[in-house]
Amino acid sequence: MPKIKGTELVEKRNILNEIRQNNMTLQQLRFFSIYLSKINARDLSTRIVRFPLADFQKIMGLGKMNIQNFRNTVDSLLLNVIHIPNAIGGMDAFTLFTNCSLGKDENNKWFVEINANDKALPLMFDFKSHYFTYQLWNALQLKSANQIRMYEILKQYEHLGKREIAVLELRELLGIAPNEYQRWERFRTKVLDSCQKALAENTDICFTYEKGRSGTGGKWLSIVFHIKKNENY
């Protein structure tokens, strides 16, 4: 059970990255990135990943081991549902993971083992195109769910250097609830400017942004992001 170094490579399918986030926490997003960094996307047998219990506690912010907190954390992780558009214009809903085990290895060391849901396997394995990669440390350095999601949303388009996103779509991609940051200035300050600063300080990319399409009274309908390699980090 190797320790997490941060230099591991995360490979993520575009379709998985473009899922509208429901309510994944910072810890759950970190955990999923770490899971993706530990599997081999070309080898389905790596779908079961084992973590030393101490690593799992740290990733999920559990602190001192408490079995009830552990159960609640695992339940929340296993019950997180994603929604994928299907070929006929409908939707498929399923969880990313199907089961989690707490046990001891041959050296009497506690571990946590997690297995991907069969339904989710096509999103994680055997893809040959339409995916992007990043080193794990980028996700681990960030301090909020918004920051991790903004990083991944823009990292996917780093090779193009530009991405225009409708404001409503961006809110959905980030998992921001309709009642959060309803005023534009608050959204701009707490989300856009905050993420801009965090990515510039902690990741391998940085960005600037400007108004794209505008509506009545100059309302921002879309945002144009300019993405580039972070030479200053």
Side-chain angles (χ1 to χ4, degrees):
M1 295 184 286
K3 292 288 184 179
I4 298 165
K5 298 176 183 178
T7 54
E8 298 89 345
L9 199 65
V10 178
E11 294 182 298
K12 194 167 190 179
R13 281 197 68 184
N14 293 352
I15 188 173
L16 183 57
N17 195 45
E18 290 164 2
I19 293 171
R20 272 46 174 176
Q21 296 298 307
N22 293 332
N23 55 352
M24 289 185 78
T25 65
L26 169 64
Q27 290 76 18
Q28 289 170 347
L29 287 169
R30 281 178 178 165
F31 180 83
F32 188 44
S33 293
I34 293 168
Y35 175 86
L36 292 177
S37 78
K38 286 183 172 291
I39 63 174
N40 179 345
R42 281 86 192 158
D43 182 359
L44 193 56
S45 69
T46 64
R47 62 186 284 182
I48 300 175
V49 173
R50 180 177 291 189
F51 297 84
L53 178 58
D55 282 2
F56 185 81
Q57 288 176 258
K58 185 176 180 180
I59 295 164
M60 304 307 292
L62 286 174
K64 188 175 180 180
M65 184 59 176
N66 177 302
I67 193 63
Q68 189 57 53
N69 288 344
F70 179 82
R71 287 175 176 169
N72 292 341
T73 298
V74 168
D75 289 353
S76 179
L77 188 62
L78 295 181
L79 292 174
N80 207 296
V81 177
I82 63 170
H83 305 87
I84 301 288
N86 59 31
I88 59 172
M91 178 195 73
D92 297 319
F94 48 85
T95 59
L96 289 171
F97 301 107
T98 187
N99 63 277
C100 181
S101 303
L102 173 64
K104 284 187 176 181
D105 63 18
E106 62 278 3
N107 297 315
N108 209 37
K109 299 289 187 182
W110 287 100
F111 66 81
V112 176
E113 202 168 70
I114 194 155
N115 189 8
N117 190 338
D118 287 348
K119 287 278 190 179
L121 294 180
L123 299 175
M124 304 181 195
F125 293 92
D126 294 333
F127 49 83
K128 298 177 176 62
S129 61
H130 299 94
Y131 70 97
F132 65 103
T133 64
Y134 63 86
Q135 286 190 309
L136 179 61
W137 61 266
N138 290 282
L140 300 185
Q141 295 276 83
L142 298 171
K143 302 298 190 294
S144 74
N146 284 345
Q147 292 171 13
I148 291 180
R149 286 299 298 135
M150 184 69 82
Y151 172 77
E152 291 184 325
I153 289 164
L154 299 183
K155 184 67 176 179
Q156 180 184 335
Y157 280 72
E158 181 188 11
H159 65 291
L160 295 177
K162 183 179 179 180
R163 182 175 189 181
E164 182 173 1
I165 314 176
V167 173
L168 290 178
E169 180 184 3
L170 179 62
R171 290 177 61 93
E172 292 176 352
L173 288 170
L174 292 173
I176 295 175
N179 62 343
E180 286 187 282
Y181 311 126
Q182 293 179 323
R183 294 177 56 190
W184 168 252
E185 284 305 320
R186 185 163 176 79
F187 175 78
R188 182 173 186 170
T189 301
K190 296 295 185 180
V191 179
L192 297 179
D193 293 345
S194 176
C195 286
Q196 184 181 48
K197 183 175 185 290
L199 267 60
E201 292 178 349
N202 298 293
T203 75
D204 59 6
I205 62 171
C206 55
F207 71 90
T208 57
Y209 66 91
E210 62 183 339
K211 183 189 292 186
R213 292 179 292 107
S214 59
T216 305
K219 181 179 180 180
W220 290 52
L221 297 182
S222 70
I223 305 167
V224 179
F225 291 93
H226 300 279
I227 312 151
K228 63 179 181 178
K229 182 177 177 62
N230 188 359
E231 302 289 355
N232 296 323
Y233 181 74

